[in-house]
Amino acid sequence: TGCCRERRWRMEAPAAPNKPAPMLASRYSAASLGGKLIREAIRIRHLKQILMRNLQGKDIVGPVDCYYTLLEVGNKDESDSASMEEEIFRSKIESRTLNPSWSTIENCTPKRATATWMILRVYTRASKTQDWRLHLEKNFHLRDLEYFQPIRRAGLGDLGKSGPNTVYLVLIDGVYGFPNDLTAPANRKPMRKRGPLKITVSALLQQHAQLSSSVEQYLARLKLRGSLENQCNEILKGADAKIYRARQVQASLTALKKVHMEKKEEKEELSAQLELISTHRKELKPRAELVLKMCKEMRRKREALEKVAAMSTALQKKRLTAETRVYLRQLRMLSILYAVYPVIKRGAGARAHAATTTLAASSSHTASSNASDFKSTTSAASSNNGNYSSTYRKPPFYTIRGVTLPDLPKDSMAKEISVALGYCAHLILLAAKYLGVILRYKIVHLGSKSYVVDGVHDPPQQVPLHFKESAATSRGVIQKGVAMLIIDTRQLLSACSIKQPEETYGAGTFLLHQLYVLQSQIVTQSK
């Protein structure tokens, strides 16, 4: 009621101050101004995450591994040992990406109380075999950062179009960036500098007096409101009772009207039905004979349909059994290939030439025409100018029908290489035929004189898998043919739902490794 509300408001009303209120701290005044940090109040503890977009550079041609370090520096004017760089945080490694979003910064505490300048260094590497390289270095002060956008509930949101090597710093109040990197929309207003909030004791006392007077006026209004509410409640109770009675009478009248109308409609429907029955009675006699004839015909059709359904189910069973027979025949024939062309793993370090050299890069014409197909196959062989590093482990040694396939073609092993490539081409061709797979590069098997056809070009190019006139030109052509056979083998692995092996060996060893994985999986499935 009104009296209870007045009593409650009087109990909750604050007492008048008898001494000046204390001044608020600077950090609380900064938080009260729109929830954004003041530039001079930004500290290292406010930094939560660092992002980077459009990682670009002269040596970056694809996704790379990257991490960053955060260092603190004293005042730039100082020349003593206190101004030296000290690392305060090192991020985790983000692998194979051009837009790294490193994890949240934790336990990042400055080692100097007077540290004002920061250094951000980003390191990258193209693969695990290469060394880390400094990609980006930025010297900055925390007060020089530009406010970009707030942090939304669903996350950071859309950062918009970013330039090359754009760095974003996520603080507790929003996303910041360097002034030269950010490209803010036209409708976005720049962040204005906010100074410290000035609060005086006289202003606080004046506000307290105004609040106390407004509270007294509110309590008086509550008294009047309570009395008026009581009167209105009594009036509304009487009105509700009258309305309830009137609604009951109206409901009874409407129910009676509905019953009367329904009975009237039923009477009219019955009279109409009697007339129809009398008319249809005369017409039903000749139609009954037609109905009997139609029933006999329907029975005949039903029997015929049942016969057709039985025949269709039998044919479907035959078709399914034929498909299963074809599938089992495919597996049986593929397993037979293991006996015809066995690929055997001999062990690491069985031959010296399998661990000393790898395939060289393809010719310039091959890189321009089939760059997208050969990028993954030649990435392992492109480092260190075609030679393995000193820490490269020796790959396992594979043979096909007892014949080896070295990674680097040699003149002394021309016949052995031609025979091994002929075996590989025949094995891939038979497996594709049994599985019903159309290969990307067509294989023409002629024993040790086989070749591969690239049908994309006009006219089609024929890449031989054997040595011709000059050994120098034949090496590059044979390397191109081995890369085409690797791509065809990948199609067979994907058709059999087999996981693609990693490219950790040379091209010749990797081709035999793919065929070894294909044969082992097919043998297990056939069993």
Side-chain angles (χ1 to χ4, degrees):
T1 61
C3 297
C4 293
R5 291 175 182 171
E6 179 182 358
R7 194 179 295 111
R8 181 166 57 82
W9 276 103
R10 286 182 179 177
M11 290 172 67
E12 293 178 358
N18 53 6
K19 59 181 179 179
M23 293 296 291
L24 296 176
S26 61
R27 58 176 179 171
Y28 294 106
S29 61
S32 64
L33 293 175
K36 297 180 181 178
L37 295 170
I38 301 174
R39 290 177 182 273
E40 300 295 336
I42 297 177
R43 296 293 182 266
I44 298 175
R45 65 175 181 272
H46 299 145
L47 186 60
K48 297 300 180 184
Q49 191 180 5
I50 294 178
L51 314 174
M52 194 168 181
R53 295 293 181 266
N54 295 338
L55 195 64
Q56 297 182 11
K58 183 172 65 175
D59 299 333
I60 295 176
V61 295
V64 296
D65 302 339
C66 56
Y67 75 94
Y68 72 90
T69 58
L70 200 62
L71 300 92
E72 64 173 359
V73 187
N75 296 327
K76 284 190 172 182
D77 299 334
E78 297 178 359
S79 60
D80 56 356
S81 60
S83 63
M84 295 175 63
E85 304 172 356
E86 288 192 14
E87 182 178 331
I88 61 175
F89 183 76
R90 182 184 290 266
S91 70
K92 295 181 180 179
I93 296 173
E94 285 287 328
S95 59
R96 314 309 298 165
T97 181
L98 293 176
N99 299 310
S101 299
W102 290 287
S103 58
T104 307
I105 297 175
E106 297 178 355
N107 301 326
C108 181
T109 55
K111 298 182 181 179
R112 294 190 182 90
T114 60
T116 57
W117 287 89
M118 307 294 296
I119 297 177
L120 176 65
R121 291 174 180 170
V122 180
Y123 297 88
T124 59
R125 68 180 180 184
S127 62
K128 293 183 180 179
T129 58
Q130 294 185 0
D131 297 331
W132 291 101
R133 186 180 59 83
L134 179 61
H135 178 72
L136 179 67
E137 180 176 353
K138 284 187 177 290
N139 302 331
F140 64 95
H141 197 284
L142 292 173
R143 66 169 176 265
D144 297 335
L145 300 175
E146 288 290 338
Y147 182 80
F148 184 61
Q149 70 178 21
I151 300 175
R152 298 175 175 83
R153 291 183 179 178
L156 298 176
D158 187 11
L159 296 175
K161 293 184 179 179
S162 303
N165 299 322
T166 303
V167 181
Y168 297 97
L169 292 87
V170 181
L171 276 67
I172 58 175
D173 63 332
V175 181
Y176 288 73
F178 298 103
N180 297 331
D181 294 346
L182 298 180
T183 56
N187 56 357
R188 180 173 291 167
K189 296 182 180 179
M191 188 184 77
R192 60 181 183 179
K193 295 184 179 180
R194 300 180 183 273
L197 183 64
K198 297 180 180 179
I199 302 175
T200 59
V201 177
S202 60
L204 290 174
L205 291 174
Q206 187 176 0
Q207 291 179 3
H208 185 270
Q210 291 177 359
L211 289 172
S212 59
S213 61
S214 62
V215 167
E216 291 177 357
Q217 292 177 3
Y218 184 70
L219 292 174
R221 291 177 182 175
L222 285 177
K223 283 183 180 180
L224 293 173
R225 184 177 178 181
S227 60
L228 291 173
E229 283 181 354
N230 292 331
Q231 294 176 5
C232 290
N233 288 333
E234 292 177 357
I235 295 169
L236 289 173
K237 284 180 182 179
D240 289 338
K242 292 179 181 179
I243 291 169
Y244 180 71
R245 292 173 186 173
R247 286 178 179 174
Q248 285 182 345
V249 173
Q250 188 176 2
S252 61
L253 289 173
T254 52
L256 289 172
K257 287 181 179 179
K258 286 182 180 179
V259 171
H260 180 68
M261 294 296 293
E262 287 176 357
K263 289 183 177 180
K264 192 175 181 179
E265 290 177 356
E266 288 177 358
K267 188 177 179 180
E268 291 177 355
E269 288 178 357
L270 289 171
S271 61
Q273 287 178 3
L274 288 172
E275 291 178 358
L276 288 172
I277 288 169
S278 61
T279 54
H280 288 303
R281 199 169 187 181
K282 298 176 181 178
E283 297 176 358
L284 284 175
K285 288 182 180 180
R287 291 183 180 180
E289 297 176 357
L290 294 174
V291 170
L292 291 173
K293 291 180 181 179
M294 291 173 66
C295 288
K296 291 179 180 179
E297 291 179 359
M298 292 293 290
R299 286 176 186 173
R300 293 174 185 172
K301 290 180 180 179
R302 186 177 179 180
E303 292 176 356
L305 288 174
E306 288 177 354
K307 291 181 181 179
V308 172
M311 293 173 64
S312 64
T313 52
L315 291 174
Q316 188 175 5
K317 288 180 181 179
K318 289 182 180 179
R319 184 176 61 81
L320 291 175
T321 54
E323 288 180 357
T324 53
R325 288 174 183 171
V326 169
Y327 177 68
L328 292 174
R329 183 174 176 272
Q330 286 180 352
L331 290 178
R332 196 178 300 112
M333 295 178 74
L334 289 172
S335 62
I336 290 171
L337 289 179
Y338 176 74
V340 178
Y341 291 106
V343 180
I344 301 173
K345 184 177 181 180
R346 299 295 185 183
R351 292 289 180 91
H353 68 273
T356 55
T357 58
T358 60
L359 279 175
S362 300
S363 60
S364 60
H365 179 69
T366 305
S368 61
S369 61
N370 298 319
S372 61
D373 294 335
F374 304 143
K375 183 184 290 183
S376 60
T377 59
T378 57
S379 60
S382 61
S383 59
N384 295 325
N385 295 324
N387 295 324
Y388 286 115
S389 62
S390 60
T391 60
Y392 182 76
R393 65 182 182 86
K394 295 182 178 181
F397 176 59
Y398 295 92
T399 61
I400 178 168
R401 294 194 70 179
V403 183
T404 61
L405 181 61
D407 293 334
L408 185 63
K410 296 180 180 180
D411 300 342
S412 60
M413 303 178 69
K415 185 177 180 180
E416 186 177 358
I417 292 169
S418 300
V419 172
L421 289 176
Y423 289 160
C424 293
H426 197 198
L427 176 58
I428 295 168
L429 185 62
L430 290 176
K433 183 178 180 181
Y434 296 156
L435 293 173
V437 177
I438 299 175
L439 297 176
R440 167 66 175 82
Y441 298 105
K442 184 180 177 181
I443 298 174
V444 180
H445 178 251
L446 297 174
S448 61
K449 302 294 182 178
S450 303
Y451 59 90
V452 186
V453 179
D454 187 0
V456 175
H457 300 279
D458 189 16
Q461 293 183 358
Q462 294 182 359
V463 181
L465 299 175
H466 55 276
F467 282 85
K468 285 189 173 182
E469 295 82 6
S470 61
T473 58
S474 297
R475 288 195 190 97
V477 176
I478 289 175
Q479 290 167 3
K480 181 179 176 181
V482 172
M484 291 179 176
L485 291 179
I486 289 173
I487 294 171
D488 289 343
T489 311
R490 285 179 179 172
Q491 286 184 261
L492 299 177
L493 291 172
S494 61
C496 295
S497 301
I498 300 173
K499 185 179 179 181
Q500 300 286 342
E502 296 181 358
E503 298 182 14
T504 56
Y505 315 122
T509 306
F510 182 64
L511 176 59
L512 292 179
H513 176 63
Q514 281 185 322
L515 296 175
Y516 175 75
V517 171
L518 179 64
Q519 285 188 353
S520 60
Q521 292 293 332
I522 287 171
V523 168
T524 54
Q525 289 180 9
S526 63
K527 288 181 181 179

